Amino acid sequence: MPIFRDLFLALSTNAAAHKFVLGFPPARAMTRRFVAGETLEGAIAVVKRVNADGMLATLDFLGEAVTNEQASRGARDEYLRILDAIETNQLNAYASLKPTQMGLVISSDLAFENISAIAARASQVGTTVRVEMEDSPFTQATIDLFKKLRAEFSNVGTVIQSCLFRSEADMQDLYALGAMVRLVKGAYKEPPTVAFPQKKDVDANYLKLAEIFLCDENAPPGTKLALATHDAKIIDWAKNFFKEHNTARERYEFQMLYGIRSDLQKQLNAEGYPMRVYVPYGGQWYPYFMRRLAERPANVFFLISNLFK
Ligand SMILES: Cc1cc2nc3c(=O)[nH]c(=O)nc-3n(C[C@H](O)[C@H](O)[C@H](O)COP(=O)(O)OP(=O)(O)OC[C@H]3O[C@@H](n4cnc5c(N)ncnc54)[C@H](O)[C@@H]3O)c2cc1C
């Protein structure tokens, strides 16, 4: 339902809708399905459960489009707290952040400085930092930022979206660099000048991009692909691919979002596949929540039905 998706993605950046949803108790209650609370302590409790179930975790402090330097430093400090918590609690987890949360809108030097501090601490803790991909005005700046970070830190990875035309070239480039890449379909509204308008093309491109990272037995050291999707057809394709090519386990993992297809997460884990659950938390949940509604009309119908209860 592309119109539905477009509507909710437009609302995800609309200030009036933001204000309305914040004051709307059923929406607040429903965020708990996708967001592990507003505090780090709440998120740690979730990660402990995920780890106890035998799965890996990603910790994400929600926030984006930061336009003031002090706020970007505040977000950096929260990530340093996340890394302290990973170390203290011996969590099987890493951190994932948005470049615009780290100040990319203000300057790439500021984002680089903030993420470098996080990557250095992550390296001491023995874990990874994932630089996420936002909408296409930031794609080139994010790739540039990632490459600059990767030149200094081997524990930094990034994300590529199969919806974008440019992603095939980006995947080739990152593969040659020995990068860790999380492959997603893309959660933002993009114009047809830069992205496939049809979902079937986004899905087909996903497989093509995954093969770039998985095909070569002599992959550059460090190369790793995270297949971040809830799409059962893609997951079945990947499982068959791994079997056929005898792909080494260190070269891939599955990733899914907290609260989405938990049944499939547990099934893959039980089948012995590396499975990582993305656990977001924090007060800035609105855009993340709206993107989750945009992905699945049923989520909105569920929300509306709660209105009448
Ligand atoms: C770990 C992880 C990290 C991500 N990081 C980024 C990022 O950095 N940048 C970015 O642009 N995007 C990111 N995304 C989001 C991604 O781009 C997609 O928007 C999202 O994953 C939905 O696409 P899908 O691959 O699950 O496939 P779809 O074809 O959208 O969905 C397949 C099936 O999954 C289930 N499903 C999907 N979404 C939902 C939902 N919201 N609620 C309930 N069920 C659902 C449904 O059963 C659906 O039929 C990330 C996704 C994951 C899993």
Side-chain angles (χ1 to χ4, degrees), residues 89 174 211:
N89 295 285
L174 294 179
E211 282 201 22

Side-chain angles (χ1 to χ4, degrees), residues 28-291:
R28 252 203 130 84
M30 198 183 156
T31 58
R32 296 310 296 257
R33 183 187 150 188
F34 301 118
V35 176
E38 299 209 358
T39 63
L40 176 57
E41 289 63 36
I44 296 299
V46 171
V47 170
K48 282 185 178 168
R49 286 202 296 274
V50 167
N51 283 174
D53 283 344
M55 297 185 278
L56 310 159
T58 298
L59 271 160
D60 168 56
F61 174 55
L62 292 165
E64 55 200 81
V66 167
T67 51
N68 116 11
E69 184 176 333
Q70 208 184 341
S72 80
R73 303 258 186 237
R76 173 204 62 194
D77 292 347
E78 181 69 13
Y79 273 95
L80 296 175
R81 286 186 60 217
I82 288 179
L83 293 163
D84 289 346
I86 289 176
E87 187 176 49
T88 311
N89 295 285
Q90 298 281 295
L91 301 176
N92 219 332
Y94 71 56
S96 193
L97 50 81
K98 292 202 167 32
T100 67
Q101 179 184 28
M102 293 293 130
L104 187 63
V105 177
I106 304 163
S107 86
S108 57
D109 285 349
L110 175 63
F112 178 75
E113 202 187 296
N114 283 333
I115 304 174
S116 292
I118 297 166
R121 178 70 184 117
S123 174
Q124 287 170 349
V125 173
T127 192
T128 298
V129 178
R130 181 80 62 175
V131 179
E132 299 191 348
M133 194 57 80
E134 299 175 78
D135 44 347
S136 58
F138 296 105
T139 309
Q140 190 57 51
T142 301
I143 301 260
D144 293 344
L145 181 62
F146 166 70
K147 284 184 176 171
K148 200 169 158 195
L149 287 159
R150 182 67 177 71
E152 275 189 43
F153 304 99
S154 58
N155 63 329
V156 177
T158 192
V159 179
I160 292 290
Q161 299 155 327
S162 69
C163 65
L164 297 184
F165 298 141
R166 59 171 287 162
S167 292
E168 187 173 350
D170 287 333
M171 281 297 268
Q172 302 278 11
D173 189 25
L174 294 179
Y175 178 77
L177 208 70
M180 293 183 281
V181 167
R182 173 199 294 159
L183 185 58
V184 301
K185 291 186 185 177
Y188 299 86
K189 166 108 189 86
E190 298 294 355
T193 45
V194 302
F196 297 101
Q198 304 270 342
K199 189 174 181 305
K200 68 173 178 30
D201 297 324
V202 176
D203 294 359
N205 199 39
Y206 193 102
L207 306 185
K208 191 174 175 188
L209 300 186
E211 282 201 22
I212 294 173
F213 259 59
L214 295 174
C215 257
D216 188 356
E217 278 156 28
N218 304 311
T223 312
K224 182 166 180 175
L225 185 70
L227 295 123
T229 182
H230 315 91
D231 187 329
K233 279 200 199 112
I234 292 182
I235 291 166
D236 281 345
W237 170 89
K239 284 160 69 172
N240 285 330
F241 187 99
F242 300 150
K243 208 184 278 170
E244 237 175 72
H245 295 81
N246 211 5
T247 316
R249 264 177 70 96
E250 323 67 78
R251 293 205 42 215
Y252 66 87
E253 66 184 28
F254 288 111
Q255 297 191 353
M256 290 187 213
L257 302 177
Y258 173 67
I260 300 182
R261 295 300 314 260
S262 309
D263 55 334
L264 192 50
Q265 295 173 14
K266 290 195 176 127
Q267 186 196 315
L268 287 168
N269 179 49
E271 287 170 357
Y273 292 101
M275 176 71 236
R276 187 180 295 272
V277 182
Y278 183 99
V279 180
Y281 76 95
Q284 303 294 315
W285 47 261
Y286 175 77
Y288 179 87
F289 177 61
M290 293 305 272
R291 289 195 289 271

